[in-house]
Amino acid sequence: MNAPHSAPAPQANALRLRDAATPIVIVGHVDHGKSTLIGRLLHDTGSLQDGKLAQIVESSRKRGLAVEWSFLLDSLQIERDQGVTVDSTRIPFRMDGREFVIVDAPGHRQFLRNMITGAADAEAAVLVVDALEGAQEQTRRHAMLLRLIGISHVIVLMNKVDLLGYDQEKVAAAEASVRALLGQLEIPVDAVVPASAREGDNIAERSPNMPWYRGPTLTEALADVPAPSSRSNLAFRMPVQDVYRFDDVRFVAGRVERGQIKVGDTVVIGAHRTMARVAEIGAWHAPVQAAAIAGQSTALRLEPDVIPDRGDLLHTPDAPPLRAARIRTRLFWLRQEPLRVGESFTLRLATAEHQVTVASIDAVVDMDDLTERPAQEVPPEGIAEITLAASEAILFDPFSPGSSDGRGVLVDRLQRIVGGAPLIGPAELAPGERSIHPTASRIEASDRARARGHEAGVFWMTGLPGSGKSTIARAAETILFSRGIDAVVLDGDTLRAGLCADLGFSAEARAENMRRAAHVSKILSDSGQVVIAALVSPSAAERAEVGRIVGEGFAEIHVATDLATCEARDPKGLYAQARVGKIRDFTGIDAPYDAPTAPALSISTADVSVEVAAAQLADFIEQKVRVRDAG
């Protein structure tokens, strides 16, 4: 790589603005005709490349079809074979002297990941809906994505109205259903255009088949979309891409995302707030510039010669970005497993990477009625508002439609993008709330299982005092250890001797004892261990709460020894004391016990030995954790 040239250039050359193209994303159900629409639109406006029309005609003829406009975009053989578009396609498009970029976003459910990337910088959207079928599940999801991304101009194209015989009442009924859907989402609609992409009705020319329609054609509606505003007038932002050294001179390389920078300006570097002066603005194989503006890739020589890190954000002192360690985030969740509080990811934001943890799930969108509701997890392909927490401050500008501001993605430890995460703003702590950032291990449960030879689980043993819970648990622990299963026992007395020594035996204290035991069990289980918890835990509701805390891998074990047998044993003399009133609220005597109605396993020690009962428990656990053959 050659060093940047040093000959000066007039500032006017650096600040000359070019008209920006207007990005238009086209979305809709996989079979509602997006590709056909784009092909027809380019043809009817004279935007096809030379020879493309003949190519389309020939491709269609070979397949025994009429002119198939979708072949213009379906350049991949997989798309032709499967009849779906699998990636975002960007097509420059000129109309009446104005530049557009058409973004064809995939509509098939498994390709929604690509739609997030394709639609993120769009100024407007065309939502394609089959007038015969109306709004489908994908229509609903795509509409939600338009809201999530923040598209400010939406045009609805009611396609295939020729299949309705151009009937005004039928078209109006289909339009009403789509308007109702978008109204629920508070998405403004610029225009609803009844059209037939295949036949060319109301695409670039008004259709003679619909004399009753008085609205704009598609091209007229697109022409009414405002051109994107210049980002050169915004506050300066340049994420650091890299630092290059030529002899004894360092240049900080990056792309100016917003605003402009001139030689002599002062910049602030990253979260550590080091300040430096721009001594030179370099360019590869071009004269040195006196200034750089939004959209330009450039290199800055700074004085003093500070060395920023990749991902540091350069900005001017008078207009800093937001700075927060807790950030409210809109989320489109792409992983096929639910998202839960405490999971950790890498947040990619421009060139920066930050380690973040899901601190809270604030609201999840119900895709059936499009309402927001509290939830414990975000389902696969779910849409939610969450709070991310980092151990250090993150610099960012809130998400803005049609720009790169605040456009984050969440990445797992395998470098897979698992969520689109536009950043809304700093998250405020509730009154009295402390800034607590729970973190999750970056080691997958499946990796722990492979290493240990078994999966984790929590086996919660409940039963009357004296039923034999702890005795059976300890005996089963020994059996499991001999079989290569790493098990740990949490019994009530052990917990009360340490972790829960401050608790009494009131109903409230018992509930807190269970809560603590449940969280300890979950921590151990998350580390890959098998946990056998042996507590009386008399309340069915509280055991259900334990199951919620532990989550996957929880199993309720009932030691179903009857009261008479337990009282006859009375190993600690507690029943005798309860009978004479020395112990009050004793389970089984003057406090109730809710026996499980559907336990995963029921064991009675009234008629079998401890050894037999322990073997039953050990066999059950071994089956559940699915021990793998090391060979």
Side-chain angles (χ1 to χ4, degrees), residues 50-363:
D50 291 341
K52 271 293 183 183
L53 178 59
Q55 191 178 50
I56 294 170
V57 171
E58 179 62 18
S59 295
S60 303
R61 185 191 63 79
K62 287 181 179 179
R63 290 166 174 78
L65 303 171
V67 176
E68 182 53 67
W69 300 106
S70 64
F71 286 171
L72 175 67
L73 298 182
D74 294 342
S75 56
L76 298 176
Q77 187 63 42
I78 183 176
E79 294 178 358
R80 289 182 182 156
D81 292 344
Q82 296 183 357
V84 296
T85 303
V86 299
D87 204 352
S88 301
T89 305
R90 303 177 73 90
I91 305 171
F93 169 56
R94 178 177 288 272
M95 186 175 63
D96 296 332
R98 181 177 169 188
E99 294 287 343
F100 292 85
V101 174
I102 295 178
V103 182
D104 177 32
H108 205 256
R109 183 171 180 174
Q110 69 224 54
F111 305 131
L112 287 173
R113 182 188 309 266
N114 292 332
M115 181 188 164
I116 290 179
T117 304
D121 63 347
E123 191 75 18
V126 176
L127 178 62
V128 181
V129 180
D130 187 326
L132 192 62
E133 295 186 5
Q136 300 291 309
E137 178 192 2
Q138 285 182 29
T139 310
R140 185 183 299 262
R141 287 181 176 273
H142 289 168
M144 283 298 307
L145 277 176
L146 296 181
R147 178 184 175 186
L148 174 71
I149 294 168
I151 302 294
S152 52
H153 299 280
V154 176
I155 300 165
V156 178
L157 188 97
M158 302 299 298
N159 195 22
K160 304 184 184 181
V161 296
D162 53 313
L163 300 181
L164 295 178
Y166 304 102
D167 184 282
Q168 181 177 3
E169 292 185 2
K170 293 179 180 179
V171 173
E175 175 183 337
S177 68
V178 177
R179 283 190 180 274
L181 169 64
L182 298 182
Q184 278 185 283
L185 297 174
E186 300 178 348
I187 296 176
V189 178
D190 289 16
V192 178
V193 182
S196 171
R198 183 176 296 279
E199 304 301 328
D201 294 290
N202 284 342
I203 303 301
E205 296 182 0
R206 192 164 298 280
S207 171
N209 298 309
M210 289 177 279
W212 44 266
Y213 176 64
R214 296 289 185 268
T217 63
L218 177 60
T219 55
E220 290 170 343
L222 291 175
D224 288 339
V225 173
S229 58
S230 172
R231 292 178 56 78
S232 297
N233 299 324
L234 301 176
F236 170 72
R237 303 285 187 266
M238 190 182 99
V240 174
Q241 177 74 29
D242 211 336
V243 177
Y244 298 103
R245 180 168 180 158
F246 302 97
D247 297 326
D248 293 329
V249 180
R250 288 189 182 88
F251 284 88
V252 179
R255 182 177 186 270
V256 180
E257 296 294 341
R258 296 175 46 171
Q260 52 187 273
I261 194 71
K262 304 185 298 297
V263 171
D265 285 350
T266 298
V267 295
V268 181
I269 303 171
H272 46 78
R273 302 176 181 176
T274 303
M275 300 182 72
R277 174 182 164 273
V278 178
E280 181 180 347
I281 299 178
W284 278 261
H285 305 293
V288 168
Q289 303 173 6
I293 62 171
Q296 285 187 287
S297 294
T298 190
L300 309 180
R301 181 168 66 83
L302 302 178
E303 292 180 346
D305 187 18
V306 295
I307 306 176
D309 295 324
R310 172 180 168 83
D312 277 342
L313 183 64
L314 305 189
H315 61 88
T316 51
D318 58 332
L322 296 177
R323 177 187 178 93
R326 290 170 64 93
I327 303 174
R328 292 185 299 115
T329 307
R330 293 193 186 97
L331 174 74
F332 189 88
W333 185 238
L334 297 168
R335 199 177 65 184
Q336 291 307 304
E337 296 83 33
L339 171 69
R340 298 181 177 89
V341 171
E343 293 196 66
S344 297
F345 302 96
T346 298
L347 171 67
R348 287 183 182 168
L349 190 63
T351 60
E353 294 190 348
H354 304 281
Q355 300 306 309
V356 296
T357 299
V358 179
S360 64
I361 297 172
D362 306 315

Side-chain angles (χ1 to χ4, degrees), residues 493-543:
D493 284 355
T494 302
L495 289 170
R496 286 187 174 276
L499 178 65
C500 301
D502 59 320
L503 298 177
F505 291 88
S506 67
E508 294 76 12
R510 285 177 179 272
E512 174 61 14
N513 182 57
M514 287 182 62
R515 188 192 70 82
R516 295 182 190 182
H519 281 284
V520 172
S521 297
K522 178 171 176 55
I523 292 170
L524 292 172
S525 177
D526 286 346
S527 72
Q529 288 191 273
V530 170
V531 181
I532 307 173
L535 292 89
V536 174
S537 40
S539 168
E542 290 167 3
R543 293 197 301 271

